Amino acid sequence: MIKKVILTVMALVITVFYFYYNPAVQSFGPPCLIHKTTGLYCWGCGGQRAFHALLHGEFRRAFQYNALIFLVLPLLGVVLYAELFDDIRPFHYLRRRWVVLLAVGIFFLFTIIRNLDGFDFLIPTN
Amino acid sequence: MNNFPLAGFGNRLVAQIIDSIIVGIAFSLILVPFGGLAALIGLSSADALEGSDEATAAVMGLFGIGLIVLLLASIFTPLLYDAFMVSSSKQATFGKMIMKIKVVGPNGERLTFSQALVRSLIKYISGHFCFLLWLWPLFNPEEQALHDLAAKSLVIREA
């Protein structure tokens, strides 16, 4: 029960927080160490800004900030559903070999592509 | 594949949230003495701006010491808390105890302090590089995150 209450409260708090807080205007937390040290954009760069944009219905802007938001958010939604309703099926699906390989492939491919010339539309810009 | 009852992603996440709150409170308590000390000797930022050179030096000195303590504490408090608790006889942080889960080695044994420290170090480094790395247990059949893979640990439910 405590798990379900805390997860629900956290999901609501984070959603409300990112609705009102705009990371593009004021930075929150430490900067991305990968971007800071190498100048490259990692798989997570722009994630907070993308979430804020998505909560305001700005889909194109969210895509530019971090296109992975369109995969990660449904994933987190499914995980939240599974935890709240004690449904273990999603975890079985996620741990299938081809799903794991696909997820790792997408993450690496996205990270490589967004750092190539000609893919500026995948780079977060304020 | 082991036969231990795995903790579950949600339980681990909630334990982490509880631990973050506990460490946050402890962290604040570390800082209180510095504010208290400044108030005790009657200094404020106004003294630094308008007062004598001695007052300015004292305020800036306290500020500097506070900043160093803040930085060191922010790095080491979560690391040491996690490592000490996981390698203790309980094999769990307070958050994990509340969620009735614990950390074990590959054969169910308690982790040594050095193993727990490595686990804790990789946990915080991976978390600071990108929170998405914490989603790793979702895709691992034994729910192992990167720090579990490094320390060959499992997070299981208490018997």
Side-chain angles (χ1 to χ4, degrees), chain B residues 18-33:
Chain B
I18 295 170
D19 284 332
S20 300
I21 294 168
I22 291 170
V23 171
I25 292 170
F27 188 62
S28 310
L29 292 178
I30 292 171
L31 294 177
V32 167

Side-chain angles (χ1 to χ4, degrees), chain A residues 13-105:
Chain A
V13 166
I14 289 169
T15 306
V16 171
F17 176 76
Y18 277 103
F19 182 83
Y20 289 106
Y21 163 67
N22 185 356
V25 175
Q26 194 180 13
S27 178
F28 178 76
C32 172
L33 293 177
I34 293 174
H35 184 62
K36 200 80 179 166
T37 52
T38 65
L40 297 171
Y41 292 98
C42 80
W43 49 86
C45 281
Q48 292 180 73
R49 283 168 282 176
F51 187 41
H52 175 80
L54 206 58
L55 288 173
H56 288 267
E58 298 171 10
F59 295 96
R60 285 181 71 156
R61 187 171 286 200
F63 186 87
Q64 167 137 30
Y65 279 141
N66 192 322
L68 277 187
I69 194 85
F70 292 98
L71 293 178
V72 173
L73 219 53
L75 171 69
L76 293 178
V78 168
V79 170
L80 184 64
Y81 157 80
E83 292 291 348
L84 294 183
F85 295 95
D86 298 319
D87 187 349
I88 57 168
R89 284 175 303 168
F91 296 112
H92 287 311
Y93 292 127
L94 286 173
R95 285 166 190 155
R96 287 183 180 177
R97 194 170 176 76
W98 70 268
V99 177
V100 175
L101 291 173
L102 185 70
V104 173

Side-chain angles (χ1 to χ4, degrees), chain A residues 2-4 6-7 10 30-34 37 42-45 66 68 72 75-76 79 83 91 94-95 99-100 103-104 107, chain B residues 6-14 17-18 21 98-99 125 128-133 135-144:
Chain A
I2 183 172
K3 178 183 82 175
K4 293 180 183 181
I6 291 180
L7 286 178
M10 282 308 293
C32 172
L33 293 177
I34 293 174
T37 52
C42 80
W43 49 86
C45 281
N66 192 322
L68 277 187
V72 173
L75 171 69
L76 293 178
V79 170
E83 292 291 348
F91 296 112
L94 286 173
R95 285 166 190 155
V99 177
V100 175
V104 173
F107 272 57
Chain B
L6 297 172
F9 185 80
N11 285 326
R12 294 181 65 166
L13 181 63
V14 170
I17 292 167
I18 295 170
I21 294 168
I98 291 168
M99 298 314 293
I125 290 173
H128 278 99
F129 263 101
C130 185
F131 101 97
L132 290 179
L133 292 175
L135 299 181
W136 200 275
L138 289 174
F139 300 98
N140 185 290
E142 295 189 335
E143 285 181 7
Q144 288 173 297

Side-chain angles (χ1 to χ4, degrees), chain B residues 5-80:
Chain B
L6 297 172
F9 185 80
N11 285 326
R12 294 181 65 166
L13 181 63
V14 170
Q16 184 61 48
I17 292 167
I18 295 170
D19 284 332
S20 300
I21 294 168
I22 291 170
V23 171
I25 292 170
F27 188 62
S28 310
L29 292 178
I30 292 171
L31 294 177
V32 167
F34 290 92
L37 194 62
L40 197 68
I41 57 177
L43 291 173
S44 69
S45 53
D47 294 320
L49 293 171
E50 300 163 9
S52 62
D53 289 345
E54 289 82 7
T56 308
V59 171
M60 295 313 285
L62 269 175
F63 179 74
I65 293 168
L67 197 66
I68 291 167
V69 170
L70 179 78
L71 278 171
L72 289 176
S74 67
I75 294 168
F76 292 110
T77 308
L79 275 178
L80 293 176

